[in-house]
Amino acid sequence: MLIIGMFTLHTGSSLAVHAFAMADPATVTWLRLTWAAVLLLCLGGPSLWRAVRAATRRELGAVVILGTASAGMMLFYSEATARIELGTATSIEFLGTLVVAVAALRRRRELVWIIAAAVGVVCLTQPWQGELDLVGLGFALAGALCVIGYIVLTQRVGAGFGAVHGLALSMTVSSLVTAPLGAPGVITDPNPELIGFTLLIALLFPMVPFLLEMVALQRMSRTSYSTFSSLEPAVALIMGMVVIGQAPVVVQVVGMALVVIAGIGATRGDRRPEPAVPGQAAVPAHPGQGGYENSS
């Protein structure tokens, strides 16, 4: 599910770059989130509202935070990919997850993975060429902060509501959060072609990959999930080449390899046993910390 989700996600991200020719990234992102919310609300049906009525304030609060983090992650990522290459933006966003993984291990020697990833990002951005897009890099780094909250809260919300219900609620929050930025562009200049195109993109990203990811997080150990996620920058590089023709130079391929190796090295450094039991979720005991506990 994770591998399918990765390729689906970055196919959608690549197509979204084409959509930026018709509207700004904020408008495209809001349309994608809104479509995803509408489709998931329909899929959830009456049982969704029963789940909402039965939820505690803490569970509903987790949904609001997850929706806000998801909105920030997608919006910042869209703004970044409108300015810098898809693989580079993905690698920079991945740094946030990598920092948390290394910090959770509490061993200084694991800092080598942070250094390796930083060198990889330098190779990807090639600042010595003097064409560094600082705004694009800034958006990607902001997205990295949102990714951390997304991963932690996805597990909590998925465990409390189930995948479809949890994602339907969080996408609704994401649509509302981004509406002030994206809705005006659609209202003032409605474009039927753009609206239809974003429906296709919404299925590819965020709906299908987020749904697969939420289900996968209930069935996999944290180490297994993080190891597979480390492959995402490489997948982004491949889809950027295939869909939008962003061909990397050799030094960028080396940089991508360093980021992937750093991600795998950091997550495999955690040797604690974490059984993945279907029907039970590996939920962080404390956000950003290494301790996990099983809860149904």
Side-chain angles (χ1 to χ4, degrees), residues 143-170:
L145 296 176
C146 295
V147 167
I148 298 169
Y150 165 78
I151 292 175
V152 173
L153 271 300
T154 291
Q155 290 184 313
R156 292 190 181 280
V157 171
F161 287 95
V164 173
H165 292 170
L167 193 59
L169 295 172
S170 64

Side-chain angles (χ1 to χ4, degrees), residues 50-181:
R50 289 196 294 269
V52 171
R53 288 195 296 269
T56 65
R57 288 187 179 181
R58 186 174 182 179
E59 289 173 332
L60 292 174
V63 167
V64 172
I65 298 172
L66 174 60
T68 304
S70 300
M73 182 176 68
M74 285 193 61
L75 183 59
F76 291 137
Y77 186 68
S78 294
E79 294 285 358
T81 55
R83 296 167 172 82
I84 60 179
E85 293 180 349
L86 191 71
T88 302
T90 303
S91 297
I92 294 172
E93 272 206 345
F94 179 71
L95 289 179
T97 304
L98 180 61
V99 169
V100 172
V102 171
L105 296 179
R106 301 177 183 275
R107 294 193 294 266
R108 289 185 179 180
R109 67 176 180 271
E110 302 297 344
L111 289 174
V112 66
W113 304 121
I114 296 291
I115 296 171
V119 172
V121 169
V122 170
C123 292
L124 282 163
T125 55
Q126 304 177 79
W128 55 83
Q129 290 190 348
E131 299 177 356
L132 202 62
D133 191 320
L134 294 178
V135 176
L137 294 179
F139 278 124
L141 287 170
L145 296 176
C146 295
V147 167
I148 298 169
Y150 165 78
I151 292 175
V152 173
L153 271 300
T154 291
Q155 290 184 313
R156 292 190 181 280
V157 171
F161 287 95
V164 173
H165 292 170
L167 193 59
L169 295 172
S170 64
M171 287 295 97
T172 301
V173 173
S174 296
S175 175
L176 293 173
V177 168
T178 55
L181 299 173

Side-chain angles (χ1 to χ4, degrees), residues 14 44 82 95 128 171 183 196 204 216 218 236 270 282:
S14 301
L95 289 179
W128 55 83
M171 287 295 97
L204 296 171
Q218 311 310 312
D270 190 350

Side-chain angles (χ1 to χ4, degrees), residues 42 78 103 127 154 235 238:
C42 293
S78 294
T154 291
V235 173
I238 293 170

